[in-house]
């Protein structure tokens, strides 16, 4: 197997740093028996715009494989490590000596997570021990003179929130507040992020209406108004992240940075599961990446993108639970893409250098004005320049919803990553090689 991977990799030329995204990472889980060798995975990651990797443990083979790649690495102490880390500072020193110092700085370790979703285990002993474990871990890192470069955090599920709707009124469950208050002071004092796992996929499963799916997939939709702040949200990811921001503000910690430790969408599931599909997974992850790259931020945190770790690099075939739990992988064990979300930086092969057609995104025939108006509102709400379809603009006439929507939908597509799902608009649009420009109204075009 190893021979195959290195034979395969010897034919590939990679580029990483030129187009890496500092706020896009990926989770590298290992609950599987068919994963490629760590060195093959390191080469795969170098061929992408992914700049950070989160491990759930501290596998030395993986950490070594990522040496000299400039890929940031999050390593983790498990829930089972917490009691010893909390009770004995020397245990934390030994953990750092064994799992961090042998590899740093060649392997760019940037964060250590202590435990995963500890608060929602509702194990009072483990919850009580979490903060002392984190403090001892940070002190051990500080003792190695790395405290300015390597921080400590822990990861939470969205279930720590008592309310997330409307986003401006998000707050934590009162039963978790005593533990959270100490953790948040720790984050503030050490400049470490509050890490959480928002999954719009699960929100859709609890409300499987078509309009909810579009809202979750960053696709055209009517939006949802926060009835307290009056802010209109156009996607579930922003709403969930802002709810966390509001909860932090509610406790007096709005200055603590948020890190999205996991988010993703499964491409396959059991027959009774609502939502898993290749199309939905491509749309969610592709549109999320485009949203992060835009740097537009969220309504409550504009102008910046939160560090976000996609879930996940590979499927984990030994995971328990419904079929979707084993189908989040962006890549297959043979290193091929499960589906393309536009993160590959591989140099083009000769076959990709052939002349390409200029294409435009246009509405399909027979789409209602109501749907086209929704598409128009969505596209122009994403920061594109819709002035040509305003009064006096070159494309204002004919003054119809259909004409204005066609221009805006195409402009949105041309300003996106130009993946097929960027011209989906809830299956109301299509790509064409026929130029829709007319008179002095010029539709921007792009290559396939």
């Amino acid at each position: 197997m190893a021979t195959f991977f290195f034979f395969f990799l010897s034919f590939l030329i990679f580029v990483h740093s030129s187009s890496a995204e500092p706020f896009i990472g990926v989770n590298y889980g290992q609950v599987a028996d068919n994963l490629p060798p760590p060195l093959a995975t390191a080469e795969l990651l170098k061929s992408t715009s992914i700049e950070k990797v989160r491990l759930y443990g501290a596998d030395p083979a993986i950490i070594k494989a990522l040496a000299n790649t400039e890929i940031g690495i999050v390593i983790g102490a498990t829930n089972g490590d917490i009691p010893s880390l909390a009770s004995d500072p020397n245990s934390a020193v030994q953990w750092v000596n064994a799992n961090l110092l042998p590899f740093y700085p060649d392997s760019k370790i940037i964060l250590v997570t202590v435990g995963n979703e500890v608060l929602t285990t509702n194990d009072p002993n483990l919850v009580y021990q979490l903060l002392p474990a984190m403090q001892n871990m940070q002190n051990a890192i500080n003792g190695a003179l790395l405290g300015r470069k390597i921080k400590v955090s822990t990861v939470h599920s969205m279930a720590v929130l008592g309310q997330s709707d409307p986003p401006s009124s998000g707050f934590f469950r009162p039963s978790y507040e005593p533990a959270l208050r100490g953790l948040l002071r720790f984050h503030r004092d050490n400049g470490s992020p509050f890490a959480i796992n928002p999954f719009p996929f699960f929100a859709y499963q609890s409300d499987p209406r078509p309009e909810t799916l579009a809202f979750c997939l960053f696709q055209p939709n009517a939006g949802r108004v926060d009835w307290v702040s009056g802010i209109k949200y156009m996607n579930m990811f922003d709403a969930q992240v802002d709810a966390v921001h509001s909860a932090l503000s509610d406790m007096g910690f709005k200055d603590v940075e948020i890190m999205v430790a996991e988010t993703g969408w499964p491409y396959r599931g059991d027959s009774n599961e609502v939502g898993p599909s290749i199309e939905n997974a491509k749309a969610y992850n592709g549109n999320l990446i485009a949203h992060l790259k835009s740097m537009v931020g969220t309504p409550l945190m504009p102008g910046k993108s939160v560090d976000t770790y996609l879930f996940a690099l590979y499927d984990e075939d030994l995971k328990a639970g419904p079929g979707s739990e084993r189908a989040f992988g962006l890549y297959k064990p043979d290193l091929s893409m499960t589906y393309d979300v536009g993160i590959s930086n591989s140099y083009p092969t000769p076959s990709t250098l052939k002349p390409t057609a200029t294409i435009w995104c246009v509405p399909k025939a027979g789409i209602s004005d109501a749907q086209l108006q929704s598409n128009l509102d969505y596209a122009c709400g994403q920061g594109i320049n819709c002035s040509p379809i305003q009064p006096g603009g070159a494309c204002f006439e004919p003054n119809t919803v259909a004409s204005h929507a066609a221009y805006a939908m195409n402009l949105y597509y041309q300003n996106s990553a130009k993946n097929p799902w960027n011209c989906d608009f809830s299956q109301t649009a299509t790509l064409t090689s026929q130029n829709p420009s007319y008179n002095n109204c010029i539709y921007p075009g792009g290559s396939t």
Side-chain angles (χ1 to χ4, degrees):
M1 179 66 75
T3 301
F4 166 78
F5 285 114
F6 293 115
F7 176 80
F8 169 78
L9 290 167
S10 68
F11 285 93
L12 300 180
I13 303 173
F14 295 110
V15 59
H16 178 70
S17 60
S18 62
S19 57
E21 304 294 347
F23 39 77
I24 297 177
V26 70
N27 285 274
Y28 185 172
Q30 295 177 268
V31 187
D33 59 7
N34 60 352
L35 298 179
L39 281 173
T41 295
E43 292 299 324
L44 171 65
L45 289 167
K46 286 161 60 180
S47 77
T48 73
S49 57
I50 291 169
E51 194 158 306
K52 299 176 182 179
V53 174
R54 178 187 169 216
L55 309 180
Y56 292 83
D59 188 318
I62 297 175
I63 299 172
K64 284 181 184 177
L66 292 169
N68 303 310
T69 63
E70 288 303 306
I71 294 171
I73 309 166
V74 179
I75 60 175
T78 67
N79 289 5
D81 294 326
I82 290 174
S84 61
L85 291 172
S87 62
D88 183 4
N90 287 327
S91 178
V93 171
Q94 291 169 8
W95 195 98
V96 168
N97 288 342
N99 297 297
L100 196 159
L101 295 185
F103 312 109
Y104 188 88
D106 290 347
S107 296
K108 189 180 175 182
I109 298 167
I110 56 175
L111 183 71
V112 177
T113 58
V114 176
N116 190 53
E117 301 187 352
V118 172
L119 267 60
T120 47
T121 65
N122 295 315
D123 178 335
N125 290 327
L126 202 62
V127 172
Y128 177 76
Q129 294 167 325
L130 177 58
L131 180 57
M134 292 170 64
Q135 290 169 329
N136 285 340
M137 182 72 80
Q138 188 68 67
N139 288 338
I141 293 170
N142 293 348
L145 304 180
L146 294 174
R148 290 180 178 270
K149 296 184 178 181
I150 302 173
K151 303 299 181 180
V152 173
S153 188
T154 188
V155 179
H156 305 281
S157 84
M158 285 291 286
V160 297
L161 291 181
Q163 177 173 301
S164 59
D165 187 29
S168 65
S169 299
F171 61 79
F172 293 113
R173 291 183 186 275
S175 59
Y176 296 139
E177 283 193 6
L180 281 167
R181 195 167 298 280
L183 293 173
L184 293 173
R185 287 197 193 99
F186 173 88
H187 290 313
R188 174 182 281 167
D189 292 344
N190 292 281
S192 57
F194 180 81
I196 195 151
N197 299 336
F199 275 86
F201 168 66
F202 296 125
Y204 172 63
Q205 285 198 315
S206 66
D207 179 20
R209 294 176 295 161
E211 56 266 37
T212 302
L213 182 61
F215 188 67
C216 289
L217 297 182
F218 299 84
Q219 291 177 336
N221 64 91
R224 298 186 178 183
V225 176
D226 180 319
W227 63 86
V228 175
S229 68
I231 294 171
K232 179 184 278 191
Y233 281 83
M234 300 308 297
N235 67 79
M236 183 67 78
F237 179 84
D238 282 355
Q240 290 186 331
V241 171
D242 272 358
V244 175
H245 177 75
S246 295
L248 292 172
S249 299
D250 180 61
M251 289 188 64
F253 293 93
K254 67 178 180 180
D255 54 327
V256 171
E257 292 288 328
I258 295 171
M259 178 183 112
V260 173
E262 291 180 16
T263 190
W265 199 287
Y267 64 88
R268 187 183 60 232
D270 295 332
S271 59
N272 63 341
E273 289 191 86
V274 178
S277 73
I278 287 280
E279 293 75 16
N280 290 347
K282 284 174 62 175
Y284 179 74
N285 286 310
N287 289 334
L288 171 61
I289 290 168
H291 183 58
L292 294 171
K293 286 181 176 180
S294 76
M295 297 295 288
V296 68
T298 71
L300 296 184
M301 294 181 291
K304 64 177 181 177
S305 291
V306 296
D307 279 3
T308 299
Y309 291 76
L310 304 174
F311 188 83
L313 184 58
Y314 300 117
D315 290 344
E316 295 177 83
D317 66 326
L318 299 182
K319 271 195 165 183
S324 60
E325 285 290 318
R326 296 176 290 282
F328 278 87
L330 296 172
Y331 289 87
K332 299 176 182 178
D334 66 1
L335 305 180
S336 64
M337 287 183 286
T338 307
Y339 49 87
D340 187 359
V341 292
I343 57 175
S344 176
N345 289 339
S346 297
Y347 281 118
T349 62
S351 64
T352 66
L353 296 175
K354 295 176 182 177
T356 55
T358 301
I359 58 170
W360 294 265
C361 177
V362 297
K364 292 179 180 178
I367 304 302
S368 70
D369 277 1
Q371 179 62 57
L372 291 173
Q373 184 66 55
S374 176
N375 294 354
L376 173 61
D377 293 343
Y378 176 81
C380 290
Q382 301 305 303
I384 62 173
N385 178 18
C386 286
S387 61
I389 54 176
Q390 300 300 317
C395 302
F396 179 67
E397 297 292 347
N399 183 16
T400 65
V401 171
S403 179
H404 292 178
Y407 182 88
M409 291 161 66
N410 177 68
L411 189 60
Y412 170 83
Y413 171 76
Q414 302 298 345
N415 282 275
S416 72
K418 296 181 184 175
N419 294 302
W421 56 90
N422 298 129
C423 183
D424 180 81
F425 289 91
S426 300
Q427 301 181 1
T428 65
T430 187
L431 295 172
T432 181
S433 59
Q434 295 184 346
N435 191 342
S437 301
Y438 60 92
N439 300 333
N440 293 324
C441 178
I442 306 302
Y443 279 56
S447 298
T448 55

